[in-house]
Amino acid sequence: GGPGRRRRGPAVAAAAVLALLAGGYLLQLLGVLLPATAPVVAGAVLGLLIEAWLLTRGTALARGLSRAQLHHPVRQLLRDGLLLGGLARLEVLRPVAYAAWLLVAVLGCWAAHFVCQAVAGRVRRSRRLPVVTRNIDASALRIGTAPPALFGRYGSARLLACSALLTAGSAVTAVTGDARWGALTALGCWAVLLAGVAHLAFRLLPARRPAGEEEVLAWLDGWLAAYKPTVGMYFSGGTASAYQANMWLSTLARLDGRPVIVLRERFMVQRIEATDIPVVCIPKVAHLMRLEHSGLAVLLHPANSGKTSHVLRIPTVKHAFINHGESDKLSSCNPYAKAYDEVWVAGPAARERYRLAGIGVRDEDVVEVGRPQLEPIRPYAGPPAPGAPVTVLYAPTWEGWTDDPGNTSLPLAGERIVAALLADPGVRLLYKPHPMTGSVDPAMKEVDRRIREQIARAEARRRDRAYGPDARNTPERTRARAELARHEAALAGLEGRGPGHGGDEAERMLRQHAGASPSAAAVREAVEAWEDSHWRACDPAEHQVLAGQRPGIYSCFNQADLLVSDVSSVVSDYLSSEKPYAVVNTTGLPEEEFRAGFPTVSAATILTPEADGIPALLDSVRGTSADPLRTARTHLKAYLLGPDEPPSAVRFARAVEALRAEAEAHRVRHGRAVRADGPEPAAADSTGPEPAGPEGQPPAGASAEEDGAL
C-alpha cells in the first residue's frame, strides 16, 4: 500500500532522471548523425538541466553515478564532445579562425578548471589549521578571508556554470552559423577561469598564507598560558549529539574561574549553541596533549566516546563524568564510567544504580550534584482548572544502540497511546519525539510519520468543530501571532548577526572572536520570549507536533499537566516538577517486576502497550479521582535528584572546586614527574582511522548518541 509506494518513489524518480540523462546524450548523437540543429542544442540543454538537478537535489544519485565512474566532469566532457561534433556536422564552424579559437578556448576552459581544482585544494589545505576556535582572538594567525566560493570550494558549481556558458555560446553558433559567438563566449569563460586560478595561486605565496602548524600551536600555547583555564568541558560526538553538550553550557558559564570547552570534531564548533565561553577544537591526539601544561585542572565529560580515551591520558587533569541525562537504562551504567576520576550523578538513585551494576565504579568516586539544568522547570500547581483542557506531553525516547526490549514505546504502543489521548475531547496533545528517532532503525521514522499524520487529522477535525472553516483567526489570536512574528524576527536577527555563517572554517574562526556574537544571555532571553509568545499564540486546546529545536523540552514540561514517556532521562527531569507522569511498559515484564527493575517508574502510572489505562489516568490528572501517587512522586524526586537545599548549582560548583583542589594537590605531589620538555608523543593521530568506542558502543563520531543515556 502506502509504505510500498513511498519506498518505490525515490527509485522511480532516480530511474526517470537517468532516462532523461541518457535521452540528452541520444538527442545530441541524433543531431550529429542527421545532422540537425534542434537535437544538438536540445540534448545539450537537457543535460545541463539534469546536472543542475543532480547538484542541488539529487546528491544521492550523483554519488551513485560517481561510484560507477560517471563523474560530473566525465558526463560533461562527453556532452561537450558531442556538442562540438554536432557543430562540425552542421558546418557552422565558420570563419575558420574563430572555429580554431573556439576549440582552443574549450580545451583551455577544461584545463583551467582542473588546474583551479588543484590549486584550490592546496589553498584549502593551507587554511585548515590544526585547531579551530570560537570566542578567541585569532587575528595573529594571518587567516584572512576565504577565497571566492565558486573558485575555492564549489568545483561542481563552477563546472556547471562554465558548461552553461559554453553551451549557450555554441547554441547561438548552431542557430546563426557564425562561430564568433561560441568562440567569444569560450574565450571569456577561459579568461575568468584563468583569473580565478591566478587569484588562488597568489594566496599560496608565503606572505599570504595563514600561520603554519607550529606557529598555530605556539599561539595556542600562548593563549592557554594567558587565559589559564581552570575547568573545561570535553566533548566528542556525531552530528546529532551536540545537544548533549549544549545542555551544560549555562551551568558551565555560571562556574567561578575561567571555563573552556574542548572539542574534537571540527564541525562541532558551529553546533555548540550561543555561549560566551572560549571554544577550542583540537582534532589531533598529539596536539591535545598540550593541555597537560596549560594549567587546566578539571575536565567535565557529558558523554562517552572513543576519543574520550585520548584526553584521559593527561595525568595533570582530573576527569568527572557528568552525563547528559540519567535514566534506568543499562546504558546509564556504562562500564566506561570507571575510567573517570569521579562520576557525578543527580541523587542517591544513580549511586545505588552503579553499586548494583557492579561495573567497577567505586562508591567513593560517585558524587551527588543534582541536575542544575532543571531550575527553569516550574513546580506542580495542582490539577488544571475545571473545563480547561488537560495538556499531555507524549515524549517517547529513541530506539537506542542495543536490542534491549522496551527502549522506546513507538513501535508497540505509540499509535495506540496517541489514539487513546486524541479520543478524549478534553485533551490537548503535545508530541515531542526524541531528535534521534529513526537514526538506527528506519522503521521508527515510519511510525513517527504515522503519528504525526494522526495528530494532524485530529487537529483539523478539532478546528472545524471549534471554529468552523472560516472563523479561526480571532482578534486575540491575530495579535498573539503578530507578537510571535516579532520575537521570531528578533531571534533570527540575533542568530544572523553572529559571524558563524559564510566563509570557510578559518574565516569563521577569525570572525568569531570574543564579543563578535550576541551574548549568550541575550540569545537566552530571546529564546524565552519566543517560547512564551509561542504558547500564547497557540490555541489553548491545539494539538501540536514539536519536533524542532524550539520550544525546548523544559518549556514543554511547563505546559504539560501530564507526561507520557518511556524509561529515559526525560522522566527523571520531569519529576523535578512533581507532576503526574506515566511510563509505557513495553519490556514484556509484569508490572511488579517492571517497577522493581526501574526505580524511576515507581511513582508513575504504568501503561500497557494497549494503552487501556489512559481514561482512568486522565481522571486522576483532572482531580475527578484520587491521585494516589502524589506523595510517592515527592519522595522519588528526592531519591532521583537529591535534596532541594543546597541548590543543585551550588552542589555542582562545590564538586568542581573539590576536584580542582585534588588536581592541584596531585600536581604538587607529582610535580617532578611531569615532563618539562613537552607532552609525551602520541601513539595515534585522529586524522587516521577512527578509533573504536568502548566495547559494545558505537565508534567515536557516529552520527548519533554515544552512550544512549536518553
Side-chain angles (χ1 to χ4, degrees):
R5 286 195 298 271
R6 279 185 291 273
R7 285 192 294 270
R8 289 193 299 270
V12 172
V17 171
L18 290 175
L20 289 172
L21 188 64
Y25 289 124
L26 290 174
L27 276 175
Q28 286 187 278
L29 182 60
L30 181 63
V32 172
L33 295 176
L34 286 178
T37 300
V40 168
V41 174
V45 172
L46 177 60
L48 282 176
L49 294 175
I50 295 300
E51 293 296 348
W53 185 89
L54 289 172
L55 179 64
T56 56
R57 300 179 60 187
T59 53
L61 180 56
R63 286 193 297 269
L65 290 170
S66 295
R67 285 193 294 270
Q69 301 298 305
L70 287 174
H71 304 279
H72 182 192
V74 173
R75 299 193 299 269
Q76 190 57 48
L77 271 171
L78 178 57
R79 194 173 294 114
D80 285 351
L82 288 171
L83 182 59
L84 291 174
L87 294 180
R89 286 279 288 152
L90 291 170
E91 298 182 355
V92 296
L93 295 179
R94 296 186 302 269
V96 175
Y98 282 101
W101 276 113
L102 172 60
L103 179 60
V104 169
V106 169
L107 294 176
C109 285
W110 276 101
H113 168 73
F114 289 125
V115 171
C116 189
Q117 283 289 93
V119 178
R122 290 287 302 274
V123 172
R124 286 196 300 271
R125 287 192 294 273
S126 73
R127 295 177 60 82
R128 190 174 175 85
L129 305 183
V131 299
V132 187
T133 65
R134 259 178 65 186
N135 298 331
I136 299 174
D137 182 6
S139 58
L141 299 180
R142 306 187 308 276
I143 294 173
T145 59
L150 196 62
F151 295 107
R153 296 197 305 276
Y154 302 140
S156 294
R158 180 174 66 248
L159 178 58
L160 183 63
C162 289
S163 302
L165 289 173
L166 294 176
T167 300
S170 299
V172 175
T173 289
V175 172
T176 63
D178 190 341
R180 290 184 180 88
W181 297 104
L184 292 174
T185 304
L187 286 169
C189 186
W190 188 16
V192 172
L193 285 173
L194 289 175
V197 171
H199 175 79
L200 293 175
F202 182 68
R203 289 173 172 266
L204 293 176
L205 296 175
R208 299 283 296 175
R209 291 187 182 186
E213 180 175 292
E214 290 304 319
E215 187 177 351
V216 173
L217 294 176
W219 170 84
L220 175 64
D221 291 340
W223 180 83
L224 289 170
Y227 183 66
K228 296 182 176 62
T230 55
V231 59
M233 180 174 69
Y234 177 92
F235 187 72
S236 171
T239 54
S241 62
Y243 73 94
Q244 300 169 358
N246 287 330
M247 68 171 58
W248 286 102
L249 294 178
S250 60
T251 302
L252 190 65
R254 285 188 292 176
L255 293 175
D256 292 333
R258 293 171 296 280
V260 66
I261 298 171
V262 180
L263 306 176
R264 299 301 306 283
E265 290 80 23
R266 294 172 180 271
F267 68 83
M268 192 63 71
V269 174
Q270 300 305 320
R271 294 181 183 268
I272 296 297
E273 292 176 354
T275 180
D276 303 319
I277 302 171
V279 179
V280 180
C281 175
I282 310 177
K284 288 188 177 182
V285 181
H287 302 159
L288 185 70
M289 295 300 109
R290 305 179 94 88
L291 293 177
E292 180 176 351
H293 304 286
S294 68
L296 183 63
V298 174
L299 274 178
L300 308 176
H301 300 258
N304 297 314
S305 77
K307 292 182 182 179
T308 302
S309 62
H310 300 166
V311 76
L312 292 177
R313 298 164 52 189
I314 301 178
T316 57
V317 178
K318 291 292 183 180
H319 302 269
F321 181 57
I322 57 177
N323 214 334
H324 54 275
E326 293 185 10
S327 72
D328 291 326
K329 289 181 180 180
L330 295 177
S331 53
S332 286
C333 284
N334 194 319
Y336 204 143
K338 63 189 174 187
Y340 302 96
D341 295 290
E342 292 183 353
V343 176
W344 295 1
V345 299
R351 179 186 295 276
E352 182 71 5
R353 189 183 304 124
Y354 276 109
R355 187 186 68 80
L356 294 175
I359 58 174
V361 176
R362 301 182 305 170
D363 187 69
E364 56 265 35
D365 293 334
V366 177
V367 180
E368 297 175 26
V369 297
R371 288 274 286 163
Q373 302 95 327
L374 305 185
E375 290 182 0
I377 300 176
R378 295 195 292 265
Y380 182 48
V390 176
T391 299
V392 181
L393 172 63
Y394 178 39
T397 190
W398 70 303
E399 61 270 24
W401 291 110
T402 68
D403 294 328
D404 298 327
N407 274 347
T408 175
S409 58
L410 279 176
L412 295 179
E415 292 171 89
R416 294 192 187 101
I417 289 171
V418 170
L421 291 170
L422 294 175
D424 188 321
V427 164
R428 170 204 191 192
L429 178 59
L430 307 178
Y431 172 57
K432 192 168 183 64
H434 192 283
M436 295 179 64
T437 297
S439 59
V440 171
D441 184 359
M444 297 302 105
K445 282 189 178 294
E446 178 63 20
V447 177
D448 173 64
R449 184 197 60 77
R450 292 200 298 267
I451 288 176
R452 296 184 191 211
E453 291 181 353
Q454 201 176 355
I455 295 172
R457 290 193 298 269
E459 173 59 18
R461 291 193 298 268
R462 186 199 68 81
R463 283 182 171 176
D464 286 343
R465 288 195 304 269
Y467 304 113
D470 300 317
R472 288 169 50 189
N473 292 320
T474 62
E476 295 79 6
R477 193 80 61 237
T478 300
R479 286 193 296 270
R481 288 172 182 161
E483 181 181 344
L484 177 61
R486 288 194 298 272
H487 287 303
E488 182 83 42
L491 188 56
L494 283 175
E495 294 174 340
R497 212 166 63 223
H501 305 284
D504 61 2
E505 176 185 271
E507 183 178 341
R508 289 193 295 270
M509 174 176 165
L510 175 67
R511 290 189 281 117
Q512 291 179 317
H513 55 80
S517 301
S519 69
V523 174
R524 183 171 60 252
E525 290 175 4
V527 169
E528 291 172 355
W530 183 94
E531 290 177 336
D532 178 67
S533 61
H534 167 81
W535 297 118
R536 289 189 289 106
C538 295
D539 185 333
E542 179 181 354
H543 304 307
Q544 296 186 53
V545 175
L546 304 170
Q549 181 182 3
R550 292 190 294 266
I553 186 68
Y554 295 164
S555 180
C556 296
F557 285 175
N558 290 334
Q559 292 294 312
D561 300 305
L562 168 68
L563 169 72
V564 178
S565 188
D566 305 321
V567 176
S568 73
S569 65
V570 168
V571 168
S572 302
D573 289 353
Y574 184 82
L575 193 60
S576 66
S577 70
E578 300 185 34
K579 294 178 183 178
Y581 69 104
V583 176
V584 188
N585 178 10
T586 55
T587 64
L589 296 172
E591 182 174 327
E592 295 76 13
E593 294 183 29
F594 184 58
R595 289 185 183 275
F598 301 97
T600 55
V601 310
S602 60
T605 298
I606 307 301
L607 296 178
T608 65
E610 291 73 28
D612 48 15
I614 284 181
L617 171 62
L618 293 173
D619 286 342
S620 68
V621 173
R622 290 186 175 103
T624 55
S625 63
D627 181 3
L629 298 170
R630 179 73 177 88
T631 302
R633 292 197 298 273
T634 301
H635 293 308
L636 182 59
K637 173 189 174 183
Y639 181 55
L640 292 178
L641 303 174
D644 291 333
E645 294 294 335
S648 178
V650 174
R651 284 181 282 151
F652 188 88
R654 289 174 180 173
V656 170
E657 288 305 311
L659 190 58
R660 181 183 170 194
E662 184 178 336
E664 296 296 342
H666 180 273
R667 286 175 187 257
V668 172
R669 290 194 303 269
H670 301 279
R672 294 183 180 178
V674 177
R675 294 181 49 165
D677 58 345
E680 179 183 353
D685 191 319
S686 66
T687 57
E690 196 75 19
E695 185 176 356
Q697 298 298 314
S703 59
E705 186 177 36
E706 300 298 339
D707 50 7
L710 287 182

